[in-house]
Each structure stands twice: as C-alpha cells, then as structure tokens.
Amino acid sequence: GYTLLAIKLLGRRRDSDSVKVLGKLLTRRERQIQTATLRALEQIGGEEAANAICDAPISRFVDQEERLEALGRIGERCSVPY
C-alpha cells in the first residue's frame, strides 16, 4: 500500500528528517513494512538511523538477524557493541 511506497521513497531520498517516524515503524507486525523500514534507514545512514534501529523495542515480529545485518551495513560506531 501507500505506507510501503512512502517508506521506500523516504529511503531513496535519504530523508534524515524521517528517521524517528521510521524507527517507530519497526514495531509493526507486517514483515514487508519492517523490511522496507530497515532498508530505508540503511539508505539514510548515519548515527541517528543506526540509533533508531538499536532503540526500537525488540519484539517477536522483528527479525533480529536482519536488524543486525542492517546495522552492520550502516557501519556507524554505535551499531557495534564493542
């Protein structure tokens, strides 16, 4: 739907102003929404995007491996625990 399209557009535009809103979408149950949101945050990049992924509550609906891979691709220092 439109939510998925909007997420993808924000990522392609590297819209850093949308990071907080995108971070909230990581708790949605829909797998497509979660995956698109991780990709968008990855495309936006930077410490704020990495923090949005790290700070999102862990739930049974979020694929933790996919989340860690996105953090690794962002490459910000805050995404590495050591």
Side-chain angles (χ1 to χ4, degrees), residues 11-23:
R12 278 190 222 130
R13 294 183 64 205
R14 300 190 195 297
D15 187 339
S16 60
D17 292 334
S18 66
V19 168
K20 287 182 183 178
V21 172
L22 290 170

Side-chain angles (χ1 to χ4, degrees), residues 14-23 26 40-42 44-56 71 74 76-79:
R14 300 190 195 297
D15 187 339
S16 60
D17 292 334
S18 66
V19 168
K20 287 182 183 178
V21 172
L22 290 170
L26 288 173
L41 288 167
E42 187 180 323
I44 293 167
E47 188 173 356
E48 189 177 2
N51 284 334
I53 296 171
C54 287
D55 294 344
L71 284 169
I74 289 175
E76 284 293 320
R77 185 169 185 203
C78 65
S79 66

Side-chain angles (χ1 to χ4, degrees), residues 9-41:
L9 285 171
L10 291 170
R12 278 190 222 130
R13 294 183 64 205
R14 300 190 195 297
D15 187 339
S16 60
D17 292 334
S18 66
V19 168
K20 287 182 183 178
V21 172
L22 290 170
K24 292 177 184 177
L25 292 175
L26 288 173
T27 61
R28 296 273 299 261
R29 291 181 180 212
E30 301 94 334
R31 181 94 169 125
Q32 285 184 315
I33 298 291
Q34 294 169 20
T35 301
T37 301
L38 283 172
R39 295 296 153 257
L41 288 167

